[in-house]
Amino acid sequence: MHTAPEVPDLLQKALSGRRLSAVDGSILLEKGELLELGHVANTIRQRLHPQQRVTYIIDRNINYTNVCTCQCRFCAFYRSVGDPDAYILDKAALFEKIEQTLAVGGTELLIQGGLHPALNIDYYVDMLQSIKERFHIHIHSFSPPEIIHLCRKSGRSITEVLARLKDAGLDSLPGGGAEILVDRVRRIISPNKISWRLWMDVMDSAHHLGMKTTATMMFGHVETTSERVMHMVRVREQQDATGGFTAFIPWSFQPRNTKLGGTVAGAVDYLKTVAVARIMLDNIPNIQASWVTQGAKIAQLALTFGANDFGSTMLEENVVRAAGVTYRVPLEEIHRCIYDAGFIPAQRRTDYTIIKEFTDPRTV
Amino acid sequence: MLSESSPLAAIAAKVAANQRLNAEDGIKLFQSNELLAIGQMANLVRERKNGRKTYFIANRHINHTNICVNRCQLCAFGRDADHSGTYTMTLDEIESKARSCADLNISELHIVGGLNPDLTLDYYLEMMQRLRRALPGVVIQSLTAVEIEYLARLHNMSYRDVLAALQKAGLDSLPGGGAEVFSPRVREIICSKKIDGDTWLAVHQAAHELGMRTNATMLYGHVETIEERVDHLLRLRELQDRTGGFLTFIPLAFHPQNTALEQLGLTGTTGYDDLKVLAIARLLLDNFDHIKSFWIYVGPKLAQISLSFGVDDLDGTVVEEKIAHDAGADTVQSMTKSELVHLIKSAGFNPVQRDTLYNVVEEGF
C-alpha cells in the first residue's frame, strides 16, 4: 500500500464508531487510497442499511421561473427579467406537470426557481395551496436562498416565512444552494448568494418546525479538500443539534455552459468524496449517489463507496409528451444498476419510508 | 479486507501467495459482488508488476475501409459493398493521413478495417512500405487475426507466410481485435462468419513465433456467460505460457446501439461489470504484464477508477476511432496528452508515455 502512515489509524477509528475530526477528514480525503476508503465507507453503510436495499424516488423537478438576481458563476439556468427566454410558469402548465408525475407513480414535487424580484410570498402561498387543493403529493420544494429572498422581500423572519409556507402546503425542503458552506468559496462562485450561516439558519428553523430537509454539497470547483470536509462537519453539527436532515447529496460541478468553465471533477475524486462523506457523517442515515451528474456507471459504483440511495428519476421538461414511455428508460436503468451491484431496488417516499421493494429483476 | 468466511478468502490467499488461479476461482470471482475485495486483489497484482506506473500512448487510428464480407451481428462499422456510406481509402489517402501526424510525436499507427474482397495482400504490403517510409520509427500495429486469416485464405498462403511478408514490409505488431469471445456458442450468435477462437489463437501464435508482439481482447457484456469469459481468459493464458508474445489484454465493453444485436434487448454494460472484468482479467492473466482499460469504450471516468482495479494502461490519445463510435459510444473521440496525464495523476498514479512495445517514451510528468 502507498497510504500515508496516519490513514490506517483514522480508518480504524471510523470503523470502531468514533467520530472523526475535520482534520482527520481532510487527511483521509487527501491521502486515503480509493479502495481502503471505499472499504470503510461500505462497512459503515452496511451497518446502517443491512437489508441490502438501494432506494430511489420518483419525483418531478419543476422550475417555476428562470429569472434570478443571484447570477452565480456556476449556474447555467438564470436569466434576467427582460431576457427573451425568461418565464414564469402558469398554473395550468404546473398542474399538467403534476398530473403527469402522479400518472407514472411519482410521489414528490421538487419545485425550485430563481430569485425573481417580482414574486412575493403570496405567489408562493397561492402556488402551494393550489397544489394541495387538487393533488395528494409531497411538496419537497424551494431552497434556503429562496426562503431568505422571501424574508427580505416581506420583512419577516425565517421562522415566520417557513411557518406560513408550511401552513400552505410545503412539506420539506431540499438542500439546494448549499454549494460549499464556506464563505471564501461562496464569495467566488456565488457572491450574491446567502452566507453559509444563513443557509444553515434556514435548515435549523425548518427542523424546529418539524420539517425534514436534505443537505447537498456541490464540489470540484474552487474549494480545497479542507473546505469540503468543513462543509460536512457543519452539516454534521447541525444534525447533532436538530436531527432534521434525511440525506446528504454530494454532486460534482458541471462546467458546461457556465461562467466558471473548468473541468469536471474526476470520478476517483467523486468516489473518494462520497466515501469520506459516509465516514464523516455518522449521524446522517442516507447518502445519495449522483447519477445525473456522474452518469449511471459511476453512480452505481458509489453504491459500494457509501451511498445507499440512487436519488431521483428527476422527470424533466423533456418528458412532457412521452412520460409513459420515456420515464421507463431511466427507471429501468436505475433498477439494472442496483441489481447488477448486488442490491435490491426499492422505491421510497421523501421520508425514506418504502413504497415497494423489487425483489424480482424483471419487474419495473 | 476479506472475512475468513467469505467465498473469496481462499482466492485472496492464493493471490497473496502468488499462486495461479484456476477456472473455478475465476467463476467464483465473477459470481461475487464483493467488488472492493476483488479490486484490492487485482491492485496487489498490478502493483507487483507495474508499481504505480500507468501507461499511455500517443497514436493515430486509421480505419481504411468499412466494407466487410463478414457483417458480424455485433458490429456497427462494417458495410456490404453496395450499401450507402461505404468507403475504401486509397494508399495515397492512407499515406497522407499518416504524414499529417508527422508533427504530433505519435509512436504508433493503429490500422484496422473490414474484410474488403477488393483489397489483396499487395495493397497491404504497399501500405506497410509506404507508412514505414512516411513515418520512420513509428510502430505499425495493424490487421487483426481476422484480417490475416482472410488474406491467407484469399491467397492460399499459411498464416506464417502472410505474416512474414507483412513483417518484412514494415508490420510491427498485431492489435488484439477480432477475439470477441472464443466460445463457439457465442460466436454463432454475434459473429457467425468470423474465424473461430482456435484460428484466432493460431494466427497470434504464428506471429509470436516470428518475434512479433501482439495484443488480446475480449468483447463482453452481450450474450456470453461468466464461464465463457473465464474460458476465454484461460485460453489466452495458455498461449501466453507457450509463446510469451502477448503485450496487453484489453477487455472491450459491448455497445449494442446500431448493431443487429440491439433487437435482442441488450443494454450496455454497467460500471460494476466493467470493473469486475478488468480486475478479474488481472487476476487470471498472471502472465500478462499489462491490462488496458480502453477509455473510449468505458469512458474516462470509469477508466480512471479502473487504475485501482488492476489496470495499468489507458491506451492513447486516439484520433478517429470509428468502430466504437458507430456503435453509439458517447465518449469524446480524443483526449489530449495533458488530459490523460491529469487523469492519471489525479488518481494518484504515475503517467508513463510508451510506444507499442512498452518502451518508455517519456515519464516524470
Side-chain angles (χ1 to χ4, degrees):
Chain A
M1 281 285 205
H2 291 247
T3 192
E6 59 266 56
V7 168
D9 287 344
L10 293 178
L11 293 176
Q12 191 52 49
K13 183 177 174 183
L15 278 175
S16 64
R18 285 176 289 146
R19 178 167 277 190
L20 300 194
S21 70
V23 171
D24 295 342
S26 296
I27 291 169
L28 288 185
L29 197 46
E30 285 174 13
K31 300 182 176 179
E33 292 284 333
L34 180 68
L35 291 177
E36 58 186 1
L37 291 177
H39 167 63
V40 171
N42 194 45
T43 302
I44 295 170
R45 175 231 197 279
Q46 302 276 47
R47 284 182 198 156
L48 280 167
H49 302 283
Q51 321 92 330
Q52 289 298 100
R53 244 187 235 140
V54 169
T55 48
Y56 65 90
I57 189 166
I58 301 179
D59 76 350
R60 181 79 186 245
N61 205 38
I62 299 175
N63 301 121
Y64 57 90
T65 182
N66 60 354
V67 173
C68 190
T69 54
C70 240
Q71 295 172 45
C72 298
R73 296 176 61 194
F74 61 85
C75 183
F77 172 71
Y78 78 87
R79 296 293 183 268
S80 299
V81 171
D83 284 347
D85 49 349
Y87 68 81
I88 299 175
L89 205 65
D90 63 45
K91 274 186 184 168
L94 176 68
F95 294 161
E96 186 184 357
K97 289 179 194 292
I98 297 172
E99 278 162 7
Q100 288 159 2
T101 305
L102 292 168
V104 296
T107 58
E108 180 189 271
L109 298 177
L110 201 164
I111 305 175
Q112 282 183 328
L115 309 184
H116 197 304
L119 300 181
N120 58 32
I121 193 168
D122 293 331
Y123 167 87
Y124 294 82
V125 166
D126 181 52
M127 183 208 295
L128 293 165
Q129 286 173 341
S130 302
I131 294 170
K132 286 293 182 177
E133 281 166 7
R134 285 169 180 75
F135 304 103
H136 181 67
I137 194 162
H138 185 104
I139 304 181
H140 178 69
S141 294
F142 313 136
S143 63
E146 287 165 277
I147 301 303
I148 295 297
H149 177 69
L150 290 179
C151 291
R152 289 173 177 160
K153 280 188 64 65
S154 64
R156 299 168 193 249
S157 71
I158 295 171
T159 298
E160 285 173 323
V161 166
L162 283 173
R164 184 144 181 228
L165 295 174
K166 187 186 179 194
D167 286 346
L170 183 65
D171 295 300
S172 59
L173 274 189
E179 312 349 336
I180 295 283
L181 297 172
V182 172
D183 284 339
R184 179 198 79 84
V185 174
R186 299 175 85 76
R187 278 193 296 269
I188 296 171
I189 67 173
S190 50
N192 298 322
K193 197 169 261 181
I194 60 177
S195 67
W196 82 265
R197 186 69 259 173
L198 274 179
W199 188 94
M200 200 62 84
D201 285 347
V202 172
M203 292 314 194
D204 181 80
S205 296
H207 296 171
H208 277 109
L209 286 169
M211 295 170 73
K212 297 293 188 180
T213 77
T214 60
T216 60
M217 178 171 78
M218 185 192 75
F219 68 94
H221 37 94
V222 303
E223 86 288 348
T224 65
T225 52
S226 295
E227 284 164 338
R228 252 184 242 181
V229 174
M230 178 56 65
H231 179 111
M232 297 176 193
V233 167
R234 286 176 169 163
V235 170
R236 186 172 74 184
E237 283 169 356
Q238 181 65 44
Q239 185 74 334
D240 278 348
T242 55
F245 289 121
T246 55
F248 183 74
I249 309 166
W251 58 276
S252 53
F253 169 61
Q254 301 297 293
R256 238 170 283 108
N257 201 24
T258 74
K259 282 181 172 175
L260 270 185
T263 55
V264 181
V268 166
D269 193 34
Y270 171 75
L271 290 179
K272 279 184 163 189
T273 300
V274 170
V276 170
R278 175 60 80 188
I279 291 166
M280 294 295 294
L281 297 173
D282 52 18
N283 55 3
I284 295 187
N286 302 297
I287 307 284
Q288 240 180 65
S290 173
W291 75 274
V292 173
T293 62
Q294 282 289 325
K297 288 194 174 201
I298 306 308
Q300 184 197 37
L301 296 174
L303 303 177
T304 293
F305 283 81
N308 64 291
D309 185 86
F310 229 66
S312 158
T313 51
M314 231 163 106
L315 300 173
E316 298 268 16
E317 311 292 271
N318 60 308
V319 301
V320 166
R321 284 183 193 81
V325 175
T326 306
Y327 111 96
R328 287 199 113 59
V329 175
L331 190 59
E332 281 168 0
E333 178 76 357
I334 287 171
H335 274 217
R336 196 170 68 96
C337 284
I338 294 169
Y339 280 123
D340 196 58
F343 297 101
I344 297 166
Q347 187 190 350
R348 64 163 170 88
R349 300 178 184 87
T350 311
D351 62 1
Y352 284 80
T353 56
I354 303 299
I355 295 171
K356 183 178 181 184
E357 207 173 68
F358 296 87
T359 51
D360 183 343
R362 290 160 300 181
T363 308
V364 170
Chain B
M1 188 176 282
L2 277 169
S3 68
E4 283 168 9
S5 61
S6 165
L8 300 187
I11 295 172
K14 277 182 168 180
V15 172
N18 234 330
Q19 285 170 27
R20 176 163 274 190
L21 304 184
N22 60 30
E24 189 185 349
D25 297 329
I27 291 166
K28 274 183 185 161
L29 287 164
F30 275 115
Q31 287 171 338
S32 171
N33 280 315
E34 296 194 69
L35 182 68
L36 295 175
I38 296 169
Q40 195 199 28
M41 286 187 258
N43 194 53
L44 183 65
V45 178
R46 180 244 203 271
E47 292 204 354
R48 273 183 202 149
K49 285 185 179 293
N50 298 294
R52 304 291 286 186
K53 290 176 190 166
T54 295
Y55 293 96
F56 68 94
I57 190 168
N59 65 353
R60 171 75 192 255
H61 281 226
I62 298 174
N63 304 123
H64 55 287
T65 181
N66 63 354
I67 292 172
C68 189
V69 296
N70 270 5
R71 303 292 293 110
C72 296
Q73 294 86 336
L74 61 87
C75 185
F77 174 72
R79 304 280 193 277
D80 292 325
D82 55 1
H83 192 272
S84 64
T86 59
Y87 69 87
T88 304
M89 293 178 194
T90 65
L91 292 174
D92 287 345
E93 283 173 312
I94 294 171
E95 185 177 337
S96 174
K97 277 184 183 287
R99 289 187 181 280
S100 72
C101 304
D103 296 330
L104 299 181
N105 284 317
I106 64 167
S107 54
E108 178 188 276
L109 284 170
H110 183 101
I111 306 170
V112 294
L115 303 182
N116 188 325
D118 290 334
L119 303 181
T120 63
L121 182 57
D122 285 345
Y123 170 92
Y124 292 103
L125 293 177
E126 189 175 343
M127 180 202 283
M128 301 302 162
Q129 287 160 359
R130 288 213 203 183
L131 294 175
R132 175 64 57 234
R133 282 196 301 267
L135 295 177
V138 170
V139 175
I140 300 172
Q141 184 180 76
S142 184
L143 304 182
T144 65
V146 183
E147 290 160 287
I148 299 298
E149 186 276 342
Y150 182 71
L151 289 172
R153 188 157 29 98
L154 195 65
H155 296 287
N156 199 27
M157 295 167 68
S158 68
Y159 308 144
R160 180 185 177 92
D161 287 345
V162 170
L163 287 164
L166 289 163
Q167 187 182 38
K168 186 178 178 186
L171 181 65
D172 294 299
S173 170
L174 299 186
E180 320 318 353
V181 173
F182 291 148
S183 154
R185 182 196 75 83
V186 171
R187 292 180 98 79
E188 183 58 34
I189 297 169
I190 68 174
C191 54
S192 48
K193 291 186 185 178
K194 196 168 255 175
I195 61 175
D196 64 16
D198 286 336
T199 302
W200 189 97
L201 290 162
V203 172
H204 280 260
Q205 178 172 346
H208 297 168
E209 286 165 359
L210 287 169
M212 292 173 70
R213 307 297 298 275
T214 72
N215 291 342
T217 62
M218 177 173 76
L219 186 80
Y220 68 93
H222 39 91
V223 301
E224 84 287 359
T225 65
I226 60 179
E227 288 81 5
E228 284 161 338
R229 288 179 183 177
V230 170
D231 171 74
H232 185 102
L233 293 168
L234 295 190
R235 292 174 74 178
L236 290 171
R237 185 170 80 181
E238 184 192 344
L239 180 55
Q240 182 73 331
D241 276 347
R242 283 191 274 122
T243 63
F246 286 121
L247 286 162
T248 183
F249 175 72
I250 315 157
L252 300 173
F254 178 59
H255 287 261
Q257 298 95 323
N258 304 324
T259 72
L261 295 179
E262 201 160 20
Q263 63 198 343
L264 296 183
L266 297 182
T267 54
T269 58
T270 66
Y272 238 71
D273 205 20
D274 292 335
L275 288 183
K276 277 169 77 174
V277 169
L278 290 159
I280 294 169
R282 174 61 81 186
L283 293 171
L284 287 180
L285 297 178
D286 54 13
N287 54 5
F288 274 66
D289 286 338
H290 305 288
I291 305 293
K292 185 190 289 188
S293 177
F294 196 178
W295 61 264
I296 265 192
Y297 273 73
V298 294
K301 284 180 189 290
L302 198 103
Q304 189 189 44
I305 297 170
S306 75
L307 300 180
S308 296
F309 284 79
V311 167
D312 68 294
D313 191 308
L314 290 185
D315 195 64
T317 57
V318 178
V319 179
E320 264 193 38
E321 199 281 345
K322 286 183 184 297
I323 292 169
H325 280 90
D326 282 355
D330 58 8
T331 52
V332 295
Q333 284 219 30
S334 69
M335 261 212 271
T336 65
K337 178 168 157 177
S338 63
E339 283 167 336
L340 268 169
V341 166
H342 175 75
L343 191 83
I344 294 164
K345 288 180 84 172
S346 61
F349 293 90
N350 304 327
V352 179
Q353 187 177 349
R354 63 167 174 88
D355 69 9
T356 308
L357 304 175
Y358 287 84
N359 299 313
V360 175
V361 171
E362 190 180 348
E363 59 185 333
F365 293 97

